[in-house]
Structure formats: structure tokens, C-alpha cells
Amino acid sequence: MSKTGVFIAVLLTALLGGLAWALLGPASPAAQSGADQGEPLLTFRPSDVAEIRIRPDSQPVQSVIRYGNAWRLEIPRQTDGPMDAWPIDSAQVRALLTVLNSIRAVPGSAASDSDRYAVTLELVMATGETRTLALHESTVGGRRAVTVDDAEPVY
């Protein structure tokens, strides 16, 4: 693998790890014990996901696309032409999908929608259905507001 490919693989791993940490954050004792958990934010089967579109604020869309049992990261070039593509560790993608599938809202945690989005993830299912998770830019009390599809934002 070229130096660029290794760099992209490390960058994607860091991005996915940071995203998981931002979504889950440090667990409170109540969350660790399983008490008082809210409803799942996203309900989907990780095995049904065909593509993950990552839309950083004011940046081009980056896509993680399934090809059979393998996954590839596709990033648009600065100039016209084909997308740059790199293979990605399938176990890392499965781990991300498992994390996204397990995220729960804090019960009774309505949030303000006046915030900008730091990043938006679109999960495209094999059926064509799309689920959207938008992470808000700012945090309140160590929690980050998220908006799923067109629902009200929650923490």
C-alpha cells in the first residue's frame, strides 16, 4: 500500500474512532449500569448498510461503500476526474455500524436546533432507504446534540 493509502487508512480510523467517542462520550455510572436508557436513535441492521456518506461541514462528501464483503473509502478529487478510492478494514466499519446502532438518547433531553452541524452521516441501505444522523457543532454539559432524520434534536 502506498504512503497515501496508509495515511488515508489512519485518517479514516481516527475519524471513525473520534466519531464513536463523540457520540458515546465518557459513560456515566447510570449508563454503565444500563439504568435509565432512552430509545435507540437509529434502528437498522448493520448488515443492511451498503454505503456510509460522511458530510463534514463545508467539505466534500466522503463515502464508505460496500463491495461484496469489502469496503472502500471514496473521496472526490480536487479536480474533475474519478474518485480516489482506498480499501478499508471491514472490521472497523462493522464496529462503527455497531456503535451507531447502539446509540440511545438521554431520556427527556430535547435540544435546541439553532446549532450548526459539525458532521452529517447518511446510512444508505441496500434497499435504497437512507437514515441520517447529524452531529451538532457545540456541546452542552459535555453532551453533543444529534438530529436523526427529521426528528427534533436530542442529547
Side-chain angles (χ1 to χ4, degrees), residues 17 23 26 31 36 40-41 44 67 70 83-84 94 97-98 100 103-104 125 131 154:
L23 289 172
D36 201 26
L41 288 180
F44 67 96
Y67 291 94
M83 304 278 273
D84 286 328
R94 285 192 302 272
L97 292 173
T98 300
L100 292 175
I103 297 171
R104 296 181 180 278
M125 307 301 157
R131 303 295 314 270
V154 295

Side-chain angles (χ1 to χ4, degrees), residues 45-124:
R45 288 184 24 187
S47 61
D48 290 344
V49 177
E51 180 179 359
I52 304 167
R53 294 181 189 141
I54 305 164
R55 297 179 186 273
D57 184 40
S58 304
Q59 300 293 320
V61 175
Q62 303 168 14
S63 297
V64 177
I65 303 173
R66 180 192 308 253
Y67 291 94
N69 290 327
W71 291 85
R72 274 190 350 195
L73 171 65
E74 294 187 355
I75 300 175
R77 292 185 179 185
Q78 297 291 1
T79 60
D80 290 335
M83 304 278 273
D84 286 328
W86 293 274
I88 296 181
D89 182 4
S90 296
Q92 295 290 332
V93 177
R94 285 192 302 272
L96 171 66
L97 292 173
T98 300
V99 167
L100 292 175
N101 195 37
S102 66
I103 297 171
R104 296 181 180 278
V106 174
S109 65
S112 169
D113 195 21
S114 62
D115 197 10
R116 291 175 32 145
Y117 297 141
V119 66
T120 301
L121 295 179
E122 292 178 0
L123 304 178
V124 181

